[in-house]
Amino acid sequence: MTTGQIATLVGPATLELQEYDVPEPGPGAVVLRVRRANVCGTDVHQWHYESLLLRDAGLGHEFVGEVVALGEGVTTDFAGQPVAVGDRVVPVYYLTCHRCPPCLRSEFNLCQNGLAEWKIKPEIPPHFRSGFATHYYVFPGQYFYKVPDEVDDATVAGANCGLAQMLFVIDQVGIEPGETLVVLGAGGLGLYAAAVAHERGARVIAVDGVQERLELAERFGANETISLADHPEPADRVARVQELTDGVGADMVLEVTGVPASFVEAIDLARVNGRIASVGNLNAEASVTMTPGILTRKSVHVQGVLRYHPWYLQKAIRFLARRQHLHPFEAFTDRSYPLAEVTDALKAGESRSVARVAIVP
Ligand SMILES: [Zn+2]
Ligand SMILES: [Zn+2]
């Protein structure tokens, strides 16, 4: 039996590479070899012990793998395409139980048991439940999709988190051709959102503090950028968006910074009766002071969006196949590290100097 390694959290900002036997897949399951995994902002939070649910879990959820073994009965992916050993696939990183109250309302993105396997300690078989590892175990019923040959690993590695989620957010909140979208935060999520909104015919204004990210945002379809260096106060940014929208404000504002103050800023940036998507703020304790009366007076629509419906991953792969020549998706992962240097990869991811760093086991 071959063995594999998995980066496991054993304390705050403390990872251990643990070695386990690579299991045979049970009926309906698939075993992958991880080809490339991205460091996402959520991984950095998890690394710092900020996710109570995932304290014992392995790290990594954005990745592309290669099929090494198919369990009994698995002949296709979740779009009905035939799969075989050697095919590259991306899995949805959470589960949909089809039995909990949100699943029964077809709110699959909110499945209460979505992390039921991921949160388990890697020492318990089948061990490989996260992406910073040599292998990954796709559970029966866990959605996965084949990656077409023309989409390379660097391009597709972020599809199962950022891109699928941004496609879902924009469908949930809605953007019309000609409308203005302000994206607060031009990291991975913000860049994907710019690309999706650009395809939908929206005008995109990207806001960030890192010049390198704003330059990338333009290559991902942003029509205008606003730098925090030039517009340090929220009021300056609101004034700039007012200027760019003939005093109207943004039709939609997408918050992907994870900074609580951005939520308040989003309300100020939106037009009257505009839409706000709250996505980046996930911390259950970080707070901010705001005036609820502004929400009422502006009649803005606030929508929080967690994860995505699992079939959006297939839409994400198709989006990449269709649009990869228009935007530098491969620039998402401009630095890569071997699995043994996973801590350095997380530190580089935390520094926010690049959109994403990758681990290539
Ligand atoms: Zn992610
Ligand atoms: Zn469920």
Side-chain angles (χ1 to χ4, degrees):
M1 193 175 261
T2 54
T3 61
Q5 290 183 317
I6 180 163
T8 305
L9 204 52
V10 293
T14 312
L15 283 174
E16 195 175 272
L17 274 190
Q18 297 180 347
E19 191 147 339
Y20 297 105
D21 289 338
V22 177
E24 290 296 324
V30 180
V31 171
L32 308 179
R33 182 177 69 78
V34 177
R35 291 175 59 95
R36 188 177 185 100
N38 287 349
V39 176
C40 169
T42 307
D43 297 312
V44 175
H45 290 300
Q46 191 188 343
W47 181 52
H48 284 300
Y49 249 32
E50 288 163 12
S51 169
L52 290 178
L53 196 61
L54 294 174
R55 277 196 174 174
D56 292 332
L59 260 75
H61 59 278
E62 289 187 27
F63 61 96
V64 53
E66 183 180 316
V67 175
V68 292
L70 294 165
E72 189 192 324
V74 183
T75 55
T76 68
D77 69 3
F78 277 66
Q81 305 173 94
V83 282
V85 169
D87 283 345
R88 291 181 309 137
V89 300
V90 280
V92 171
Y93 64 85
Y94 55 87
L95 302 171
T96 43
C97 76
H98 295 249
R99 289 161 180 81
C100 71
C103 280
L104 293 176
R105 294 191 300 263
S106 68
E107 296 160 2
F108 298 106
N109 58 312
L110 300 174
C111 175
Q112 290 173 357
N113 301 306
L115 306 182
E117 284 295 339
W118 186 9
K119 70 182 181 185
I120 293 173
K121 287 182 185 206
E123 66 190 49
I124 298 164
H127 313 298
F128 297 94
R129 300 176 175 89
S130 52
F132 296 171
T134 52
H135 294 78
Y136 184 84
Y137 193 90
V138 182
F139 285 85
Q142 182 175 358
Y143 286 66
F144 70 90
Y145 296 98
K146 195 157 128 175
V147 179
D149 292 343
E150 69 267 26
V151 180
D152 67 21
D153 288 349
T155 299
V156 83
N160 73 340
C161 179
L163 180 55
Q165 194 188 14
M166 290 302 106
L167 283 161
F168 185 62
V169 167
I170 285 175
D171 278 356
Q172 289 284 299
V173 178
I175 190 100
E176 299 293 325
E179 284 195 320
T180 298
L181 168 69
V182 170
V183 179
L184 293 176
L189 291 177
L191 298 176
Y192 283 134
V196 173
H198 181 66
E199 190 191 38
R200 305 280 169 97
R203 175 194 186 198
V204 178
I205 302 171
V207 182
D208 201 283
V210 181
Q211 192 54 33
E212 186 186 351
R213 291 178 172 208
L214 291 175
E215 283 161 18
L216 261 182
E218 285 176 359
R219 298 175 67 197
F220 276 87
N223 303 80
E224 271 102 14
T225 60
I226 299 176
S227 162
L228 300 195
D230 303 335
H231 301 82
E233 295 301 322
D236 303 335
R237 302 190 283 273
V238 172
R240 181 63 184 141
V241 168
Q242 286 283 320
E243 201 174 87
L244 290 169
T245 57
D246 300 325
V248 172
D251 297 293
M252 177 179 167
V253 183
L254 169 67
E255 177 279 309
V256 283
T257 62
V259 177
S262 288
F263 179 76
V264 181
E265 186 171 336
I267 297 165
D268 291 336
L269 291 167
R271 68 162 161 82
V272 167
N273 206 21
R275 286 108 56 202
I276 292 163
S278 178
V279 176
N281 278 305
L282 283 163
N283 190 319
E285 285 162 1
S287 62
V288 68
T289 302
M290 64 167 292
T291 311
I294 295 173
L295 275 175
T296 315
R297 293 167 71 97
K298 288 188 81 167
S299 297
V300 291
H301 306 256
V302 177
Q303 168 102 52
V305 187
L306 185 71
R307 303 189 201 125
Y308 51 90
H309 286 168
W311 50 92
Y312 268 73
L313 181 51
Q314 197 210 9
K315 292 177 189 272
I317 295 166
R318 287 182 170 174
F319 182 91
L320 290 170
R322 197 166 69 237
R323 306 287 286 181
Q324 62 179 340
H325 304 298
L326 295 170
H327 309 298
F329 288 99
E330 72 288 348
F332 270 85
T333 54
D334 57 356
R335 258 190 251 173
S336 64
Y337 295 80
L339 185 59
E341 291 169 22
V342 59
T343 299
D344 291 334
L346 282 157
K347 284 178 185 163
E350 188 173 29
S351 77
R352 299 165 59 95
S353 59
V354 286
R356 282 282 195 276
V357 300
I359 293 164
V360 181

